[in-house]
Amino acid sequence: MNHKIKVHNPATDEVIGEIQALDVGEGVKAIERAKKAQAKWGQKSLGQRIKVLQRFKKALMEKADEFSRAISTENGKPLMESMITEVLPTVDITDYFCSKAPGILAKKPIAMRMMKYRKSYIHYKPRGVVYIISPWNFPFVIPTGEVVMALIAGNAVIQKPASLTPMIALKARDLMVENGLDPDLFQVLPMKGEHAFKLIGSGVDYVNFTGSVATGEKVSAECGKHLIPCTMELGGKDAAIVCEDVSIDHAAKYLVWGAFANAGQVCASVERVYVHEKIYNQFVDKVVSIVKELKIGDPFADGVSIGPMKDPHQLKIVQQHVENARENGATVLTGGYKIDGPGQFYAPTILVDVDEDMECVKEETFGPTMPIMKYSDIDDAVQRANDSPFGLNAYVFTADRYRGQRIAEKLQAGTVMVNAALMTYGLPETPWGGVKKSGVGRVHGDDGLRDLCIPSHVNYDLPFEISWNPFLYPYSHRKYKAFLNSLKAFWGQGFSDKLSGIRGLFK
């Protein structure tokens, strides 16, 4: 086929690369190669697999500046953000799972309650071929962390990168191959979305998808059709509650970063802020003063905090949400416009006089906006924060961290941070995922690694025989009565009687 994917620098609109797109047939062949490679990789010891990923980690650290600059060129985020939100957490994720995987994937014994004459344990087998469909907003850390985990667990990986940002995925794969990974074990397949969709039923064993709700619903339905387990991370409309006792300076700094990092193109971005009425005016004034000092422009320029938006379609959604808010009575305190000139820059926007019926409050904006609303009662704030079809992250700011925890536990979100924002995706030991339309399943954390495996149960006998077993033929009334008595003893009385009942089975 002759179709090529043109990759643009969103800060200049210049074409920075053309990538050959693959078709479905080439994708199917890639899966077949991956299956053969996985059969060998899965037989290697965990230690052998870890050594390969450790070499990748070391090489990535040495090339950290090179990778950061490549990400900023292709994606548009400021150079500092490429380092601290993409490269650094990828190194940390790799280091964490290389060091912790032996314990996480160790055989897990199961204590037997009734059949004390037998033992059980869980051991973890690779699933096979893990299919990662990755996004453009964090084109390196999101897929690469999952690639590393899948490989450590003994799987092969097929990655379909976002068509807006395929170059960094290919670069990551090259670095792994250079450091000893079988080229067939991790393959990157740039292709159209409709072609990538058809690969779900073509031999993959697990699907990890990050993207929009609409596409995620289609992907998960296709996974269900083929009985393929999957993890879906589908974005959010994350709320922050600012209590009246808070340090206004602390909360404002964190929430400005939480709203405008990566030009607001973060699924965990702060997209709704509820501030207690006692401090509302002070908080708004502080936020506005911080935002007015932010420098927007070339991601490589010194002091630039906000770069361009990557997706032209997403930029139009931001414009639509802001205009809808204006038309319905909202006040724009900063920003509210696309910056003239080359590149896809949108000025960071603070909106007040907004309500829950406006698009900027109820729909995911995925851009540099911060709608701010006031509340008088904390239960009302919690209810309004929860009144959303999304539930990825939420944030609470208060001087009383125990109060913060109590509020956090009432919020409907996969993760709630108290007195901070955004950072938990980069913490490999913590689970990541949402509730409601923000998705299903979790990545990262110990369970995230185990989920990339098949938990297989083994039940075995101890080195002695029992004299009488009620589960074997022939049946008799004597056996029935003994089993009936033991059932009543085990579940109906105290612990000592339970033991007597068990002993009665084997007399």
Side-chain angles (χ1 to χ4, degrees), residues 6 46 48 51 61 76 149 168 303 307 324 370 400 425 438 504:
K6 289 185 178 182
L46 179 57
Q48 289 174 312
K51 284 182 180 180
M61 288 190 294
M149 293 170 64
I168 192 63
N324 172 267
M370 182 196 286
D400 183 344
Y425 184 86
S438 285

Side-chain angles (χ1 to χ4, degrees), residues 451-467:
D451 196 47
L452 292 164
C453 303
I454 299 171
S456 298
H457 172 220
V458 174
N459 180 272
Y460 64 97
D461 59 328
L462 292 176
F464 60 82
E465 294 183 5
I466 59 174
S467 59

Side-chain angles (χ1 to χ4, degrees), residues 313-332:
H313 174 69
Q314 196 64 44
L315 176 57
K316 292 179 181 178
I317 292 175
V318 174
Q319 291 174 306
Q320 175 186 320
H321 283 191
V322 173
E323 290 310 308
N324 172 267
R326 275 197 180 107
E327 291 169 1
N328 286 280
T331 302
V332 178

Side-chain angles (χ1 to χ4, degrees), residues 27 36 142 186 244 292 323 433 443:
K36 292 179 181 178
I142 287 179
F186 171 32
E244 71 277 11
K292 285 183 175 179
E323 290 310 308
V443 299

Side-chain angles (χ1 to χ4, degrees), residues 53-68 83 87-95 140 175 179:
L53 277 306
Q54 285 175 327
R55 290 198 294 269
F56 163 73
K57 180 195 72 174
K58 182 179 179 181
L60 179 58
M61 288 190 294
E62 293 171 351
K63 293 177 177 284
D65 180 62
E66 178 185 329
F67 270 73
S68 296
M83 173 62 71
V87 176
L88 185 152
T90 302
V91 170
D92 189 40
I93 288 167
T94 306
D95 183 73
F140 183 63
L175 189 62
N179 285 275

Side-chain angles (χ1 to χ4, degrees), residues 34 37-38 41-53 56 94 97-98 101 105 126-130 132 143-158 172-173 176-177 180-187 449 452-453:
Q38 190 279 324
W41 179 251
Q43 292 300 312
K44 291 183 179 292
S45 69
L46 179 57
Q48 289 174 312
R49 299 197 296 264
I50 286 172
K51 284 182 180 180
V52 177
L53 277 306
F56 163 73
T94 306
F97 286 107
C98 281
L105 299 181
R127 288 193 179 273
V129 177
V130 173
I132 298 173
T144 308
E146 198 72 4
V147 169
V148 166
M149 293 170 64
L151 291 172
I152 287 175
N155 300 290
V157 179
I158 297 291
R173 191 250 185 184
M176 287 192 184
V177 172
L181 192 72
D182 182 341
D184 289 337
L185 200 58
F186 171 32
Q187 299 175 65
L449 182 62
L452 292 164
C453 303

